[in-house]
Amino acid sequence: MFSKKVPRALVAGNWKMNGTTASLAELRLLATMLEGVELDCDVMICPPASLLTAAHKLTRGSIIRLGGQDCHPEPHGAHTGDIAAEMLKDAGASAVIVGHSERRITYQEGDGLVRAKAQAGHRAGLMAIICIGETLEERQQGQTMRIIAAQVKGSVPEKATGANTVIAYEPVWAIGTGLTPSPPEVGSVHSHIREKLSGLIGEHAHAVPILYGGSVKPSNAGELMAIDNVNGALVGGASLRAADFIGIIKAYS
Ligand code: PGA
């Protein structure tokens, strides 16, 4: 549909705190829909940690990769309720989302902690999907570019490369609301992210995929993917049903 992009695009679904074993039927359906299909993008599902092992079994032989939704910076220890990056890897994940705004806001996770979690992901051999994004108030005050620059600087490890890191730009006000920034707005933030990454990690910056996230659906995915420096999508609600998610994947490949 669109010319091949560099870096290779990634369409990742974040199931958030949704899904029991019954929901694996959607994953099975997605795997079936993708059988034998040639794609120009990678596909990932980040289910709740409780489903990772079963999801791993189910997606063996499929192009679907798996990710965790968060991790603790330490590899093990007395951290009740937390999960280590090494545990996610052991359960079949190849990536971990860190710094999602739902964690930054609900648990006051700052850039330093997000960076430590990304480093934990790297230590465990996982790709870190580092989320950044401004709130509605910050956008209205004209602070978007400053906030994004600070989050890149504070959250991205210096050893980030295209092989171990993905950035997801997710305006907080666009998540789960049906609202999205205009294509020129998305484009200007993504090129700003690329520029700030260059300042931080030099030539590696060009190989780091920058995903857009926030109310991505089959009907707007094509328009978003056509924007410069948009290398895929991080999808919440529309990743829960295989029929919706496949529509997004097709727009990106
Ligand atoms: P949404 O969520 O697609 O439901 O807006 C995106 C996200 O939080 O990653």
Side-chain angles (χ1 to χ4, degrees):
M1 221 176 264
F2 295 102
S3 59
K4 287 189 182 181
K5 283 205 168 186
V6 177
R8 184 172 163 85
L10 167 67
V11 178
N14 174 10
W15 281 10
K16 308 190 180 183
M17 200 176 73
N18 296 294
T20 58
T21 45
S23 322
L24 292 172
E26 289 296 322
L27 189 59
R28 192 173 296 116
L29 186 58
L30 182 67
T32 308
M33 287 169 155
L34 289 172
E35 247 168 42
V37 178
E38 288 245 342
L39 295 176
D40 275 343
C41 65
D42 291 326
V43 176
M44 181 181 290
I45 290 288
C46 302
S50 57
L51 294 180
L52 265 178
T53 306
H56 183 51
K57 236 180 175 172
L58 203 147
T59 53
R60 221 167 262 157
S62 151
I63 58 164
I64 302 171
R65 295 160 64 194
L66 298 171
Q69 296 179 12
D70 183 47
C71 67
H72 191 280
E74 299 295 326
H76 49 75
H79 305 291
T80 303
D82 275 315
I83 192 155
E86 283 77 0
M87 295 169 177
L88 296 172
K89 171 95 177 169
D90 182 53
S94 59
V96 60
I97 297 171
V98 297
H100 192 282
S101 62
E102 284 152 17
R103 297 206 61 90
R104 287 182 185 263
I105 293 167
T106 312
Y107 302 106
Q108 288 88 46
E109 294 192 2
D111 289 327
L113 180 58
V114 173
R115 188 171 191 270
K117 290 181 173 195
Q119 283 168 327
H122 293 167
R123 182 191 64 222
L126 299 179
M127 195 171 70
I129 303 175
I130 304 173
C131 301
I132 57 176
E134 82 287 359
T135 63
L136 184 57
E137 203 184 4
E138 288 161 349
R139 176 161 283 266
Q140 285 168 341
Q141 292 170 351
Q143 300 288 316
T144 301
M145 296 307 194
R146 190 184 63 76
I147 294 289
I148 293 300
Q151 288 180 335
V152 168
K153 188 161 184 267
S155 307
V156 178
E158 275 158 28
K159 290 195 175 140
T161 67
N164 66 20
T165 301
V166 170
I167 305 295
Y169 167 55
E170 300 204 302
V172 177
W173 52 274
I175 295 175
T177 58
L179 302 171
T180 45
S182 68
E185 285 169 338
V186 173
S188 63
V189 176
H190 277 239
S191 70
H192 187 61
I193 293 170
R194 186 80 67 204
E195 190 191 312
K196 293 297 153 192
L197 275 177
S198 289
L200 196 67
I201 58 172
E203 61 193 25
H204 291 296
H206 297 285
V208 174
I210 306 176
L211 314 186
Y212 169 78
S215 297
V216 178
K217 32 187 192 274
S219 58
N220 62 13
E223 179 182 57
L224 288 162
M225 188 57 192
I227 302 167
D228 263 0
N229 283 307
V230 173
N231 310 114
L234 183 55
V235 184
S239 71
L240 294 171
R241 283 178 31 84
D244 295 331
F245 198 49
I246 194 88
I248 296 172
I249 292 166
K250 290 203 168 146
Y252 276 77
S253 53

